[in-house]
């Protein structure tokens, strides 16, 4: 039950990791003070707390970007406390982080950015569909990948959906001058997948089973669901493309039934 709860609300798991790590470090400091004359520096204690919080976060099932946040949070506060920085700056940083990662609270989807190598491979997959297709990026973030693909395939139509307010604003502004690309402030769960030939997502493990049910109910036979790195539980992809990057990414592709359709069978005719 706790694992399921933390998968749905990762911020709660991160908070728990911070509190537990702080309690452990506090207990260690009390022991050191009582048993020896050594007094560790505050930054050293903060680094130890960060390491413990990151380790606990990993154990609790948090995504890698949360590990780094847990690691840096207390040391960052300690470093900033010695600088002449206005208090509102910390509030602004928190608000910006929240606006960029709003999806992690409700939809269990943090902000992930598609790497350049993954983008190139994705472009090769899209080329198999000809020139005319409809593509949606579920959770497009600031739309870097979406816009790059829209420029490469000017005859195709591209849509990005996003509900993190700051990410949406950035994506919407960037897409204004790209005529074949549109950004919607819309949840992926309210997006009708029947409108698209290719559905791309870079989400998290948590929503993949539910997304698969939605895709099966809405997507047309022969259309493709492409996931960056995250699998659908108990449903092997028809194509798995391993990518040699630092986070060991992969592209997983499912062709929607009626099927036994091969990639060649599902390719859209050019023009």
């Amino acid at each position: 039950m706790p694992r399921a709860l933390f998968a749905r609300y990762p911020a709660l798991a991160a908070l728990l990791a911070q509190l537990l790590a702080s309690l452990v470090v506090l207990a260690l400091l009390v022991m050191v003070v009582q048993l020896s004359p050594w007094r560790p520096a505050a930054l050293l204690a903060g680094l130890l707390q960060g390491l413990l919080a990151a380790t606990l976060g990993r154990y609790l099932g948090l995504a890698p970007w949360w590990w780094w946040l847990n690691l840096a949070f207390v040391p960052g506060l300690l470093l900033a406390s010695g600088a002449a920085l206005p208090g509102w700056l910390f509030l602004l940083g928190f608000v910006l982080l929240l606006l960029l990662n709003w999806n992690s609270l409700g939809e269990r989807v943090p902000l992930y950015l598609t790497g350049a190598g993954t983008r190139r491979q994705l472009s090769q997959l899209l080329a198999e569909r000809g020139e005319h297709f409809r593509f949606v990026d579920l959770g497009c973030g600031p739309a870097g990948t979406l816009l790059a693909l829209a420029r490469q395939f000017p005859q195709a139509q591209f849509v990005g959906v996003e509900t993190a307010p700051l990410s949406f604003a950035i994506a919407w502004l960037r897409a204004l001058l790209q005529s074949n690309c549109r950004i919607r402030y819309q949840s992926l769960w309210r997006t009708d997948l029947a409108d698209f030939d290719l559905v791309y997502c870079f989400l998290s493990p948590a929503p993949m089973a539910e997304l698969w049910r939605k895709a099966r109910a809405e997507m047309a036979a022969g259309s493709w669901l492409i996931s960056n790195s995250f699998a659908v539980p108990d449903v092997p992809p028809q194509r798995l493309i391993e990518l040699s990057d630092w986070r060991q990414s992969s592209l997983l592709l499912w062709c929607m039934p009626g099927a036994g359709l091969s990639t060649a069978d599902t390719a859209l005719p050019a023009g």
Side-chain angles (χ1 to χ4, degrees):
M1 179 62 181
R3 284 269 183 169
L5 181 64
F6 294 149
R8 187 169 183 84
Y9 302 105
L12 181 62
L15 177 60
L16 179 61
Q18 287 291 332
L19 291 175
L20 290 176
S22 298
L23 289 174
V24 170
V25 171
L26 180 60
L28 289 174
L29 289 176
V30 170
M31 291 177 58
V32 167
V33 168
Q34 291 181 345
L35 299 177
S36 79
W38 180 57
R39 300 294 181 267
L43 184 57
L44 179 62
L47 288 172
L48 177 60
Q49 190 276 349
L51 286 170
L52 285 173
T55 303
L56 286 169
R58 181 175 183 179
Y59 174 77
L60 293 173
L62 289 174
W65 74 274
W66 279 104
W67 307 347
W68 294 106
L69 185 60
N70 277 353
L71 173 65
F73 183 70
V74 168
L77 286 179
L78 291 171
L79 287 172
S81 65
L85 297 175
W88 58 263
L89 196 59
F90 300 103
L91 178 60
L92 176 62
F94 174 79
V95 169
L96 289 176
L97 184 64
L98 182 63
L99 292 177
L100 283 169
N101 289 280
W102 189 261
N103 299 335
S104 67
L105 301 178
E107 296 181 352
R108 300 160 287 165
V109 180
L111 175 63
Y112 288 121
L113 299 178
T114 300
T118 308
R119 189 181 300 172
R120 286 192 294 271
Q121 186 61 59
L122 189 58
S123 174
Q124 292 177 28
L125 285 174
L126 267 58
E128 298 179 23
R129 302 292 306 223
E131 295 180 352
H132 297 266
F133 55 81
R134 297 159 297 168
F135 176 99
V136 64
D137 187 344
L138 302 179
C140 65
T145 294
L146 191 69
L147 286 168
L149 294 173
R151 286 189 286 268
Q152 285 184 265
F153 298 92
Q155 303 303 315
Q157 294 299 313
F158 291 83
V159 172
V161 299
E162 181 59 60
T163 55
L166 184 54
S167 296
F168 165 77
I170 294 170
W172 185 82
L173 288 171
R174 295 180 70 188
L176 284 177
L177 299 179
Q178 188 66 37
S179 61
N180 65 332
C181 184
R182 292 290 178 266
I183 309 298
R184 301 174 184 170
Y185 189 76
Q186 185 178 62
S187 166
L188 64 93
W189 306 115
R190 294 183 176 275
T191 301
D192 188 354
L193 303 185
D195 294 336
F196 303 99
D197 307 301
L198 299 107
V199 176
Y200 172 71
C201 60
F202 191 8
L203 302 175
S204 77
M208 291 306 297
E210 188 176 352
L211 177 62
W212 176 250
R213 289 190 289 271
K214 178 178 172 63
R216 285 292 305 270
E218 298 178 9
M219 294 177 68
S223 55
W224 289 356
L225 173 65
I226 304 172
S227 172
N228 188 332
S229 300
F230 301 115
V232 174
D234 303 319
V235 184
Q238 278 131 339
R239 294 173 70 175
L240 174 63
I241 302 170
E242 300 286 355
L243 301 163
S244 301
D245 59 13
W246 64 272
R247 57 189 172 199
Q248 299 180 326
S249 304
S250 58
L251 288 176
L252 300 90
L253 186 151
W254 294 266
C255 177
M256 290 298 110
L261 297 179
S262 68
T263 301
D265 293 329
T266 59
L268 295 178

